Amino acid sequence: MTASDTAEPTPEQQSLLKRAIAAAAIGNMTEWYDFGVYAYVAIYVGMAFFPEADPGAQTLSAFGVFAISFLLRPLGSLFFGPLGDRIGRQKVLAITILLMSGSTFLIGLLPGYETIGILAPILLLLCRMLQGFSTGGEYGGAATYIAEFAPDKKRGFYGSWLEFGTLTGFGFGALVPTILILSLSDAAMNEWGWRIPFLIAGPLGAVGLYLRSKLEDTPAFKNLEHTHKIEKSPLKALIVGYWKRLLILMGIVITINVGNYTILTYMETYLAEELEISKTAALLPLLLVTLMMMVLITPIGALSDRVGRKPLFLSACLCFLVLTYPAFWLISLGSAFTTFCGLALLGLCHVQLIGPLAATLPAMFPTGVRYAAFAIGYNVSTSLFGGTAPFINDYFVGLTGNNFFPAYYLMAAAAIGIIPVLLMKETAGQPLMDDDEPLQTRA
């Protein structure tokens, strides 16, 4: 009997489940640590790797590299997703965390433009592309891994710990640069201080690799191996048999990732450069809101086990439509208190999406294509609408002079997200799809 067969796992299963969650979450933590670091030191990265130019152009160039790296995520998902459905989740997750943390670590070692000229931004781009490629197999595999270990009645609760890892990683990735920015001079940050956060990714990745190397594969995948039902071509099986559900997943991810990369990645630069809010008034509210979301994330995941995933997703989309403009108005007032209040409104909207996320999307597909479906659908949508969000927001704020553009962009994403949420089938409390079960029979 696996953990998914009963609402109350045995002590041995409970121990294995906790280790599985920790090993999966630390990869997500490492991924979002990198995003947090890059967002918070984007100004310094721009100055280090691009020629002397207008500071705004340097920052835009740094976010351009951030966005371009996301073009590799779909390729990574096309490689790692089907591979995870053929050779197992555990092996692929060990590879992705090694590549992901290693590429982030290398950025901290790269010489700048003044030392090697045009090679500097080229090497930066290559590191970001390797990071994006490996990330293409990370989140989908981690969510699949937890979903296949978790009990059916508590999948939302256990899956939410993956997003707790996301927020922990982003919070840590924001905290380290914040301490450095507030304690070092601008000259020291420009010269060497910005490198420290990237170098920390090395030890984080080593811990994650150790944890993942000690785990066995999921009960669902081992059963697939035992019954000889592993798909020879998971990608073909996915596209032929589950393309409609794949499109629904991609539509849901639009709202999630525009929210993720607007709130968690772009906002620090937006506050500092567009609104010219002081470092303390900008950085501390962001950290407090991240902490608030960390407190709420697992209760929200548990709530989705009781009331369902769809009600929370719909509530999040509607909250974004109603509360985003007032949130940005509060932020625009410029004080630390109003900035916190505005960011808190956005955080309350967003936590309703990410709390049930890791439990919802893997349950939409059978075991034989689950890793590929999540990885490909999630990362294609993310590369188009998530990773580009900081660049698009920064560009159009500069082009239009309208500081409320990010609010309109987020509201538009929420409006689009309502449609796939209405079309998705409720999966709360249900067993994961069996590979012999026709898709249309799912309630």
Side-chain angles (χ1 to χ4, degrees):
M1 179 177 290
T2 70
S4 291
D5 295 323
T6 177
E8 293 298 333
T10 66
E12 182 181 355
Q13 291 169 341
Q14 188 75 17
S15 175
L16 179 59
L17 177 59
K18 289 179 179 179
R19 286 188 284 121
I21 291 170
I26 195 169
N28 219 38
M29 176 182 171
T30 303
E31 175 187 347
W32 276 90
Y33 172 78
D34 171 80
F35 292 149
V37 165
Y38 199 94
Y40 273 61
V41 300
I43 295 173
Y44 303 102
V45 171
M47 289 188 287
F49 288 96
F50 296 94
E52 288 294 333
D54 176 77
Q58 291 177 334
T59 304
L60 192 61
S61 297
F63 276 133
V65 170
F66 183 85
I68 290 172
S69 70
F70 276 73
L71 297 177
L72 271 291
R73 289 185 67 149
L75 294 180
S77 68
L78 287 168
F79 177 78
F80 288 115
L83 186 65
D85 284 325
R86 290 200 305 271
I87 70 171
R89 288 67 163 116
Q90 184 268 340
K91 295 182 180 69
V92 173
L93 286 173
I95 297 170
T96 58
I97 195 169
L98 178 63
L99 294 176
M100 193 168 58
S101 59
S103 56
T104 303
F105 177 79
L106 285 176
I107 292 176
L109 299 177
L110 292 179
Y113 188 89
E114 290 185 357
T115 304
I116 59 173
I118 192 65
L119 281 177
I122 291 174
L123 290 174
L124 173 65
L125 179 60
L126 289 175
C127 285
R128 289 298 308 171
M129 291 174 74
L130 178 60
Q131 207 274 347
F133 183 78
S134 55
T135 301
E138 170 60 35
Y139 183 68
T144 297
Y145 197 80
I146 290 180
E148 291 180 349
F149 265 111
D152 298 327
K153 301 297 183 181
K154 296 183 179 180
R155 191 170 291 117
F157 170 72
Y158 286 113
S160 67
W161 285 101
L162 185 61
E163 290 299 330
F164 183 86
T166 292
L167 295 172
T168 302
F170 180 80
F172 188 45
L175 178 62
V176 173
T178 296
I179 292 173
L180 292 169
I181 290 169
L182 295 179
S183 60
L184 296 178
S185 66
D186 285 340
M189 278 299 299
N190 286 330
E191 186 176 351
W192 55 268
W194 66 267
R195 297 180 180 275
I196 295 175
F198 289 105
L199 297 176
I200 291 175
L204 280 179
V207 173
L209 180 61
Y210 173 79
L211 289 175
R212 289 183 174 184
S213 67
K214 297 298 181 181
L215 286 178
E216 59 186 66
D217 223 312
T218 67
F221 183 79
K222 288 194 290 186
N223 181 63
L224 210 63
E225 283 186 311
H226 180 71
T227 56
H228 305 289
K229 292 181 180 179
I230 294 176
E231 292 282 355
K232 294 181 179 179
S233 178
L235 180 59
K236 179 180 178 181
L238 171 64
I239 294 174
V240 172
Y242 302 95
W243 64 270
K244 291 181 181 179
R245 189 157 285 209
L246 186 64
L247 291 177
I248 291 173
L249 182 152
M250 293 171 66
I252 294 170
V253 171
I254 290 175
T255 305
I256 292 169
N257 275 303
V258 170
N260 260 342
Y261 292 97
T262 297
I263 299 168
L264 298 182
T265 303
Y266 173 65
M267 195 57 66
E268 188 273 336
T269 298
Y270 173 77
L271 295 174
E273 291 198 349
E274 306 303 338
L275 301 185
E276 298 181 348
I277 295 175
S278 68
K279 291 177 180 178
T280 301
L283 297 177
L284 294 182
L286 279 167
L287 288 172
L288 289 173
V289 169
T290 301
L291 181 61
M292 178 197 78
M293 294 174 68
M294 289 172 65
V295 172
L296 293 176
I297 190 78
T298 51
I300 292 292
L303 181 63
S304 76
D305 288 324
R306 296 195 297 273
V307 305
R309 324 298 189 206
K310 288 183 69 169
L312 284 173
F313 278 6
L314 282 173
S315 174
C317 291
L318 293 174
C319 285
F320 270 129
L321 283 173
V322 174
L323 298 178
T324 297
Y325 190 90
F328 273 81
W329 176 78
L330 285 168
I331 292 169
S332 71
L333 296 179
S335 73
F337 177 72
T338 60
T339 299
F340 169 77
C341 290
L343 291 172
L345 286 178
L346 296 176
L348 287 172
C349 298
H350 194 53
V351 77
Q352 296 176 72
L353 286 175
I354 62 175
L357 175 61
T360 306
L361 302 189
M364 295 170 64
F365 301 90
T367 307
V369 298
R370 184 172 294 129
Y371 197 150
F374 195 135
I376 293 170
Y378 184 88
N379 285 289
V380 169
S381 187
T382 298
S383 67
L384 293 174
F385 302 101
T388 57
F391 181 85
I392 289 173
N393 282 322
D394 202 51
Y395 177 78
F396 279 100
V397 168
L399 180 67
T400 64
N402 189 335
N403 288 334
F404 281 75
F405 177 84
Y408 303 138
Y409 191 48
L410 187 50
M411 291 165 69
I416 292 171
I418 291 175
I419 299 171
V421 169
L422 290 174
L423 292 174
M424 68 176 277
K425 296 183 183 298
E426 182 61 71
T427 60
Q430 300 183 29
L432 292 175
M433 287 186 68
D434 185 88
D435 287 78
D436 294 327
E437 184 178 1
L439 180 67
Q440 59 267 28
T441 65
R442 294 295 291 172

